[in-house]
Amino acid sequence: MPSKKSTGKAARQAERKRLHNRAVKSSSKTRIAVAKKEIDAQSSSAPEKAREAVSSIDKAANKGIFHRNKAARLKSRLTKKMNVLTASITKQSQGNGG
């Protein structure tokens, strides 16, 4: 039992925020994993999944759930994988054209 009424309220608020933050973080991590899976499978939906993942990372960083440096690192790694996929697709299409 908290010694002050305000301490109890602060604890209840912190618990609500913790649960919400955990849900947002989990959702972002799931979107990142799905995007990586799509990129590795060279799926046609990979660019869309990557955009969704980057968007969720940005939203989480703006809310303070991810540190801005961690968000930048996650986005950079995902973008790098996406660029490798795009380059390989472009190289394949150029090779088949001639």
Side-chain angles (χ1 to χ4, degrees):
M1 189 75 188
S3 58
K4 290 185 178 180
K5 196 173 179 181
S6 62
T7 310
K9 182 177 179 180
R12 291 191 305 273
Q13 289 174 332
E15 180 64 12
R16 277 197 302 269
K17 289 177 184 178
R18 183 185 71 82
L19 292 174
H20 179 262
N21 290 346
R22 187 171 71 173
V24 171
K25 190 181 289 191
S26 175
S27 174
S28 293
K29 287 181 178 182
T30 301
R31 287 176 190 233
I32 293 167
V34 167
K36 285 181 180 178
K37 188 176 175 184
E38 294 287 326
I39 291 169
D40 290 340
Q42 296 185 352
S43 172
S44 61
S45 64
E48 179 59 32
K49 297 294 183 184
R51 273 193 296 276
E52 288 177 10
V54 168
S55 176
S56 70
I57 292 168
D58 280 336
K59 287 178 184 175
N62 286 337
K63 293 175 185 174
I65 297 170
F66 285 146
H67 189 276
R68 66 180 189 273
N69 291 354
K70 177 177 181 162
R73 182 176 67 244
L74 292 171
K75 290 180 354 185
S76 174
R77 289 177 181 172
L78 194 60
T79 303
K80 195 183 294 187
K81 285 179 82 90
M82 194 62 222
N83 288 343
V84 169
L85 172 66
T86 305
S88 67
I89 291 172
T90 304
K91 189 178 267 189
Q92 288 174 355
S93 65
Q94 288 176 350
N96 295 336

